[in-house]
Amino acid sequence: MTEPHIGADKPPLMNVTHATTLTPAFKLVFLAVFGLTVAALVLNVVLVISIDQPNDQAKSLIETCSTIVKAGFGAIVGLIGGKSV
């Protein structure tokens, strides 16, 4: 008597497709994070280009925009990565 092959009922991994659905809540959060990230990036670039000798307040604002861009990029990667799993 032959034993059945283990995993014979599973399709090969190469042919598996993942269908993810994007809910309206996910789209809203993603667009909000993306919009804030792009806005902070544009503001940061404008500040860096337009101010020749930034004072302490301008330096603080530039650093805050840079932090928002970094956090926003991390959030975008996390949202996309979490959705694809």
Side-chain angles (χ1 to χ4, degrees):
M1 184 184 258
T2 60
E3 295 182 23
H5 180 63
I6 296 174
D9 57 338
K10 295 181 182 177
L13 292 177
M14 302 274 298
N15 294 334
V16 175
T17 58
H18 297 285
T20 58
T21 57
L22 299 178
T23 62
F26 178 84
K27 289 179 185 178
L28 178 67
V29 170
F30 184 83
L31 289 176
V33 169
F34 184 77
L36 288 173
T37 303
V38 170
L41 179 63
V42 169
L43 179 61
N44 197 8
V45 169
V46 167
L47 287 172
V48 168
I49 290 173
S50 66
I51 300 176
D52 292 330
Q53 296 294 326
N55 57 11
D56 290 339
Q57 290 176 335
K59 288 179 184 178
S60 177
L61 183 59
I62 290 170
E63 188 62 35
T64 301
C65 288
S66 296
T67 302
I68 291 171
V69 170
K70 292 174 192 174
F73 180 75
I76 289 169
V77 170
L79 283 168
I80 292 172
K83 197 64 176 175
S84 67
V85 170

